[in-house]
Amino acid sequence: MGKRILVFLSGRNDGSTNVLCDEFINGAKESGNYVEKILVNNKNINYCLGCRACKLNKGICIHKDDMTEILDKIISSNIIVFASPVYFYSFNAQMKAIMDRTYAKLESIKDKEAYLIISGAAPTKNYMNTDYTSLMKKYNIKRCYYGHLHANSI
C-alpha cells in the first residue's frame, strides 16, 4: 500500500508551479501512492493572529475556516508537499497563511516527511534563495525542488 500524500498548491491554477506539481503527482501515483491536491487559492484561510489561543485550546484556532479540515488532512497524511511560486523572495501570501496556521498542530505534524516545490523567474539564481531553509528545518523537509529562469537569458 502506498503512502498518503497531501499537496498544497498556491499560485495560478495554470501557472508553472501547477505544471511542476502535476508532474510530481503523476510520479507519486505511478509509484502506487494516494495523492490529494488542495488548491489553496480556492480555500477560505485566515491568517494567524499570533494570539496563541490554539495552544491554550488543544490546537483549536479561533478562526472558523477551511484550515480546520486541512489540519486534519495534514495529520492523516504521511507526506506533505508545499508547492508555491516565489514572490519577492518568499512564498505567496496564501501559502504563508497555510504554513503559519500549522502552528496550532505543530507537535502532531513536525516530524512528517515534507517536500517543497517552488518556481519563479529572476535575474539570478540567488533570488530563489527564499526563506525555505528555515521552513525546511521547521517541517523537517527532506528536499526542495526548484527551477529558475534567468530573466536576462530571455
Side-chain angles (χ1 to χ4, degrees):
M1 178 94 179
K3 295 182 178 181
R4 181 175 168 77
I5 302 172
L6 186 61
V7 177
F8 293 104
L9 171 68
S10 63
R12 295 186 319 269
N13 292 347
D14 63 346
S16 300
T17 307
N18 194 25
V19 172
L20 293 170
C21 194
D22 285 345
E23 288 299 315
F24 175 89
I25 289 170
N26 289 338
K29 285 181 176 179
E30 286 174 7
S31 297
N33 297 294
Y34 170 79
V35 182
E36 179 180 356
K37 179 164 80 172
I38 295 177
L39 302 175
V40 176
N41 296 349
N42 297 341
K43 296 295 182 181
N44 176 29
I45 301 169
N46 293 302
Y47 59 88
C48 179
L49 298 174
C51 66
R52 296 186 44 83
C54 60
K55 295 301 178 187
L56 302 172
N57 197 20
K58 297 181 182 174
I60 299 172
C61 181
I62 62 168
H63 292 303
K64 305 302 177 214
D65 59 11
D66 293 335
M67 197 61 196
T68 304
E69 177 187 354
I70 289 171
L71 283 170
D72 290 341
K73 289 182 179 192
I74 290 173
I75 291 169
S76 67
S77 296
N78 302 102
I79 299 171
I80 307 163
V81 178
F82 298 101
S84 176
V86 174
Y87 295 164
F88 200 65
Y89 308 101
S90 189
F91 306 99
N92 66 8
Q94 296 89 345
M95 184 61 72
K96 183 73 168 82
I98 289 268
M99 293 172 178
D100 287 349
R101 292 284 301 282
T102 62
Y103 177 72
K105 302 279 186 175
L106 191 56
E107 292 304 314
S108 299
I109 64 174
K110 70 178 182 179
D111 292 324
K112 294 217 177 258
E113 189 173 342
Y115 297 88
L116 296 177
I117 299 172
I118 58 176
S119 66
T124 68
K125 186 176 179 178
N126 291 340
Y127 282 78
M128 293 300 290
N129 291 335
T130 67
D131 58 350
Y132 69 84
T133 52
S134 63
L135 186 70
M136 290 178 78
K137 290 177 186 174
K138 178 179 179 182
Y139 292 105
N140 194 24
I141 290 174
K142 308 295 183 198
R143 301 260 192 290
C144 176
Y145 298 99
Y146 66 93
H148 62 278
L149 172 66
H150 297 291
N152 58 1
S153 67
I154 296 175

